[in-house]
Amino acid sequence: MPFVSAAGPAEELIDQGIRRGLEGNYQDAIDHFSRAIRLTPRNADAFYNRGLARVSIGDLTGAIADYSMSISLDPRSSGAYNNRGFALAALGRYAEALADMSRAIALRPDMAQLYNNRGTIRMSIKAYALAIADFTRAIALDPLLAGAYNNRGLARNLSGQLQGAVADYREAVRIDPRYKVAWYNLGNAHISLGDAKEAVEDYSKVLVLDPGMLVARNNRAFARLSLGDYKGALEDLNLVISKSPQDAAGWYNRGVVRKLAGDRQGAIEDLRRAAAFGDSLAVEALREITSRDSMPP
């Protein structure tokens, strides 16, 4: 939920705090909201907004206390219940988080985003059927809510409904063609279905939107590899390594591709680099390759 303004004697301080928060000056925002609270101790909006700012600096316990005060002063604040629910979930307090989300929904049963939010928390506890029901309700209320399609796709994917997941991801990117996470999830689902060609196209769309998303480039490399496109796979992994040279996984993955492409020496060099970074899989792969040198003809 966004920052909200408030009426009353502390209005100017709250408005200034909101501006500081929108600028990213969260501690300054907290100071303004705290001053407003000292002037008007029963100002629900001041506590609500301070809770938002505290979340932004990672003070979840302080945020929960502020949202609780806001709720005690304004028991019909669906936003405060929603936000407290997310903060509780971030601390692993899922039962309390779900109770808050359900209270928010009871106050605003027509608000699609609240069902979407409760669904994400249900996914955290692997209650996939209930999460799917929440995302489905969100979609019924707002058929253009791309995030709900993406989230339902994730829940369906995790519960083994791969075809349904693909349909949901496709709808998400139809609504929002720049939704890179949905494109990425679609690529992963196509990999799970054994459709590497479609996966390459999906990851390519991600990389047009975000060329620096290395996990998509890494996954495209292995999709290309499964299609026999060693050159394309190596191009992707070369870039992964250049952007993240301290990551053992990149060296290991390129070593595997080089081995399959017949570049034994290149594979050994890459696997040695990965092993030097502590990759146990690289150590095993190196042992397998180099043991052949000592085998009798």
Side-chain angles (χ1 to χ4, degrees):
M1 295 290 179
F3 287 98
V4 296
S5 188
E11 181 179 9
E12 183 58 32
L13 279 171
I14 293 174
D15 287 342
Q16 289 175 9
I18 290 170
R19 287 196 291 272
R20 298 297 189 277
L22 294 173
E23 293 166 358
N25 298 323
Y26 302 117
Q27 190 57 60
D28 199 15
I30 290 169
D31 292 342
H32 278 76
F33 298 136
S34 297
R35 288 167 60 194
I37 289 167
R38 286 195 292 271
L39 288 173
T40 55
R42 297 188 60 78
N43 192 314
D45 291 327
F47 283 105
Y48 175 88
N49 286 312
R50 191 172 69 175
L52 284 177
R54 281 180 161 167
V55 166
S56 298
I57 63 169
D59 180 10
L60 297 176
T61 300
I64 289 168
D66 278 341
Y67 292 138
S68 296
M69 279 298 300
S70 182
I71 289 166
S72 71
L73 296 166
D74 180 9
R76 297 195 59 78
S77 175
S78 61
Y81 278 116
N82 175 80
N83 292 357
R84 189 175 70 176
F86 270 128
L88 288 164
L91 292 174
R93 295 162 61 179
Y94 296 114
E96 295 168 86
L98 286 171
D100 271 354
M101 289 297 183
S102 295
R103 291 187 189 103
I105 288 170
L107 290 165
R108 290 292 307 276
D110 59 337
M111 193 170 181
Q113 189 62 52
L114 293 176
Y115 291 94
N116 185 56
N117 294 348
R118 187 173 67 179
T120 62
I121 295 176
R122 282 176 161 169
M123 282 184 62
S124 297
I125 60 171
K126 301 182 180 180
Y128 300 128
L130 291 173
I132 289 169
D134 272 341
F135 298 135
T136 300
R137 180 58 181 156
I139 289 165
L141 289 168
D142 183 358
L144 296 179
L145 188 58
Y149 284 102
N150 177 71
N151 290 339
R152 189 173 68 178
L154 281 171
R156 284 176 162 171
N157 198 338
L158 291 167
S159 57
Q161 303 172 41
L162 287 174
Q163 294 292 353
V166 167
D168 277 341
Y169 297 141
R170 281 181 170 159
E171 187 62 17
V173 297
R174 185 194 68 79
I175 294 168
D176 181 3
R178 298 187 61 79
Y179 198 166
K180 68 178 181 181
V181 171
W183 282 115
Y184 175 76
N185 290 336
L186 181 58
N188 291 345
H190 277 135
I191 287 291
S192 296
L193 288 168
D195 194 343
K197 184 174 183 297
E198 287 284 348
V200 168
E201 293 178 7
D202 297 332
Y203 295 134
S204 295
K205 290 185 173 70
V206 175
L207 293 168
V208 168
L209 296 168
D210 183 1
M213 190 171 176
L214 297 185
V215 66
R217 195 169 294 278
N218 184 76
N219 287 7
R220 186 175 71 173
F222 278 91
R224 284 174 159 176
L225 177 64
S226 69
L227 294 171
D229 180 9
Y230 298 115
K231 181 175 181 290
L234 287 171
E235 286 175 355
D236 276 336
L237 291 171
N238 289 342
L239 198 145
V240 169
I241 289 171
S242 71
K243 297 294 184 182
S244 187
Q246 304 302 313
D247 186 355
W251 294 102
Y252 172 77
N253 291 339
R254 193 174 71 175
V256 170
V257 173
R258 281 180 160 174
K259 177 187 173 185
L260 293 171
D263 180 5
R264 181 176 177 278
Q265 189 55 42
I268 289 173
E269 291 172 4
D270 281 348
L271 292 171
R272 281 177 176 163
R273 292 292 295 272
F277 285 120
D279 191 311
S280 59
L281 291 175
V283 172
E284 288 299 317
L286 265 175
R287 185 177 294 118
E288 179 186 344
I289 292 177
T290 56
S291 65
R292 296 174 186 173
D293 295 339
S294 58
M295 291 176 62

